[in-house]
Amino acid sequence: MSGALQQANNRRGGSSFSRRTVLGLVLFGFLAFITMLYFIGAGDTQGSRNNGAAHAEANGLNGYSGLVELLKLEGENVSTSRSPSGLETPDLLVLALPQYFDKEELGEILQKRAYVGPTMVILPKWFASPFPDRTKERVEQDIEDDWVELVSAIPFNWGKNLPDHYAIETKLKDTKDGANSWAGLGLQGTLPTDTNIVVTDKGNGASLVVNQSGEPLALSFQIEDEYGNTGDNEEVVFVIEPDLVNNYGLSDPSRAALALTLIDEASYGYDYPIVFDLTLNGFGGSTNLLTLAFRPPFLAATLCLILAMLIVGWRAFKRFGPAAASGPDIAFGKRRLVANGAGLIVKARRLRLLADPYVALSARRLASRLGLTKPDEEAIDDAVRRILPEDAPFSVRAQQLRAAQSPSDILRAARALNELTRKLEK
């Protein structure tokens, strides 16, 4: 039994894992950490955004991914924003509104952007839905996963509920005779469908593009701030008929040229970076956590974490000497029990509580040596005086131990009691 315990103790001094095993664990942990950083940086990983909505990343007929790609091909600095803070950008902000939108929220956005940066607002038109799987099986041509089916055009009927400065009235107009031409900004052409949204009362707006009947399809407004003040040059462009700039409309070169001209009009002719907002279409998100970690005030904590990781990795493979051998966590025997108890008392710093128990223990041992029936201090003093007349009596030594406060005084007084016991044992 003792031999087996000794072998177990010897094995404790070595490593439990080989170097290859430790290296494999470290590499696995590193790859898991890199994967976590990727998903943190990627943000929304829920897959396809094809929900039928018209936004800058939608590839359906009602989407605006074509406009984004066209602007990039023209050399423009184009980006999409999924953060509410993007609504405060000084760049050209393009807002593609969904069908059901809070009018008051749009008014607040436009008022806050007064004197901040140029804005283009594209109003909604189409109710669209993704192609169901059974439809894909019926058609002969392949249908991409992010294509949509234009179900119907819905009239934009809440323009008059906008703030007074931007209030307009619109209607859905069906030109059955095919007279669906447009003209404006030095360009002209036709619309892709006979069903269009036109403005019947433009209010404070100025017409940019009109149809063959002179009804506005795109307007510009001078920006009005929350105090009712308007700037001299600042304006916001409203695209009433989204087929002028969406993927459906960009199939025609003249409409593609008009889309670029409307962007230039909204930018006042300056070379602004262009930001397409996605938050109004339900794709808003929090700030990228990975990017946030490398920005003040979190940058200092990130650098400390990286340094700590490097130190831990270096320490794992550069041990300072061999592993220290240790015995079992709970050793056997009275000696080990006493040592553990003494170590606990020392850590608790309660040595003064040992005085009375040690005096009582010494009294019992001396009474047994002297042949006394009871460990009485006076009787022990009389017996010690007869045997060792020149030594200090037991009661004096016991009182010194009880009065000691510091660890050194306690140990000195305890040794004095122990010395008396050893002399009587000789």
Side-chain angles (χ1 to χ4, degrees):
M1 181 68 175
S2 60
L5 290 175
Q6 183 64 34
Q7 293 178 3
N9 290 340
N10 292 337
R11 285 196 299 269
R12 287 178 178 270
S15 175
S16 301
F17 301 99
S18 66
R19 186 176 293 271
R20 288 185 178 180
T21 303
V22 174
L23 180 60
L25 291 174
V26 171
L27 290 178
F28 176 79
F30 178 75
L31 292 176
F33 180 70
I34 295 299
T35 304
M36 181 190 70
L37 291 181
Y38 167 77
F39 283 110
I40 290 176
D44 185 5
T45 57
Q46 297 178 358
S48 175
R49 298 180 184 275
N50 181 29
N51 58 356
H55 53 82
E57 293 187 354
N59 293 329
L61 291 176
N62 62 333
Y64 301 99
S65 62
L67 179 58
V68 173
E69 293 300 321
L70 177 62
L71 290 169
K72 289 181 179 179
L73 292 175
E74 289 293 315
E76 301 289 347
N77 182 5
V78 185
S79 62
T80 57
S81 171
R82 299 177 181 85
S83 173
S85 62
L87 298 174
E88 303 173 3
T89 178
D91 304 329
L92 171 59
L93 178 66
V94 181
L95 303 175
L97 302 183
Q99 272 291 348
Y100 304 100
F101 186 69
D102 188 350
K103 286 74 67 177
E104 295 180 358
E105 183 179 354
L106 177 60
E108 292 177 359
I109 292 173
L110 295 178
Q111 287 179 347
K112 290 180 179 179
R113 288 195 57 78
Y115 310 114
V116 173
T119 309
M120 172 184 280
V121 179
I122 305 175
L123 301 184
K125 174 181 179 180
W126 293 107
F127 173 73
S129 65
F131 281 91
D133 292 336
R134 61 180 182 275
T135 303
K136 294 182 182 180
E137 296 173 357
R138 291 204 306 265
V139 297
E140 296 180 358
Q141 63 183 16
D142 294 334
I143 296 179
E144 301 293 337
D145 291 336
D146 49 4
W147 288 5
V148 297
E149 180 181 7
L150 301 181
V151 179
S152 62
I154 300 178
F156 173 72
N157 56 7
W158 47 264
K160 59 183 178 181
N161 296 324
L162 292 173
D164 293 339
H165 180 69
Y166 302 103
I168 57 176
E169 290 188 8
T170 61
K171 71 175 183 179
L172 194 65
K173 185 175 183 180
D174 191 0
T175 55
K176 296 182 180 179
D177 56 356
N180 58 348
S181 62
W182 59 266
L185 299 176
L187 300 169
Q188 61 182 359
T190 57
L191 292 166
T193 66
D194 294 334
T195 302
N196 312 121
I197 295 180
V198 298
V199 175
T200 58
D201 184 357
K202 64 181 182 180
N204 296 318
S207 300
L208 296 178
V209 182
V210 297
N211 64 3
Q212 72 282 352
S213 302
E215 297 166 317
L217 301 177
L219 298 171
S220 67
F221 293 85
Q222 285 187 319
I223 293 180
E224 182 182 61
D225 62 18
E226 56 184 336
Y227 304 106
N229 301 319
T230 57
D232 295 331
N233 299 318
E234 294 83 1
E235 64 179 4
V236 55
V237 172
F238 275 69
V239 179
I240 311 301
E241 173 52 71
D243 286 348
L244 293 173
V245 295
N246 60 17
N247 297 337
Y248 200 3
L250 294 185
S251 60
D252 179 73
S254 61
R255 291 192 295 268
L258 176 64
L260 295 176
T261 306
L262 286 171
I263 291 290
D264 187 65
E265 176 71 20
S267 303
Y268 323 135
Y270 294 101
D271 189 18
Y272 280 99
I274 304 169
V275 179
F276 284 80
D277 175 75
L278 295 177
T279 62
L280 302 186
N281 289 277
F283 298 114
S286 58
T287 303
N288 186 309
L289 295 179
L290 183 59
T291 304
L292 188 64
F294 289 92
R295 293 179 179 175
F298 305 104
L299 178 59
T302 303
L303 293 177
C304 291
L305 178 60
I306 294 174
L307 181 60
M309 291 174 58
L310 293 175
I311 293 175
V312 170
W314 172 73
R315 178 66 178 85
F317 287 94
K318 294 292 183 181
R319 184 189 299 275
F320 296 101
S326 60
D329 297 332
I330 301 178
F332 302 99
K334 296 180 180 180
R335 185 182 298 275
R336 176 55 62 182
L337 180 61
V338 172
N340 290 342
L344 180 62
I345 294 172
V346 170
K347 287 185 178 180
R349 298 183 180 180
R350 294 294 187 270
L351 289 177
R352 64 180 183 277
L353 300 179
L354 296 177
D356 287 335
Y358 192 75
V359 168
L361 176 63
S362 300
R364 288 197 297 270
R365 293 175 62 185
L366 289 173
S368 176
R369 289 294 179 184
L370 297 172
L372 303 176
T373 57
K374 293 182 179 180
D376 182 69
E377 290 190 12
E378 294 182 1
I380 294 174
D381 284 346
D382 292 339
V384 170
R385 193 177 299 113
R386 290 193 299 269
I387 301 173
L388 301 171
E390 297 180 357
D391 287 8
F394 172 79
S395 59
V396 173
R397 302 182 188 224
Q399 184 59 32
Q400 290 176 349
L401 179 58
R402 294 189 183 99
Q405 295 295 327
S406 65
S408 59
D409 293 340
I410 293 173
L411 290 175
R412 190 180 301 109
R415 288 194 184 101
L417 276 178
N418 191 47
E419 180 184 7
L420 180 60
T421 304
R422 288 201 310 270
K423 287 181 179 181
L424 293 174
E425 289 178 348
K426 294 181 180 179

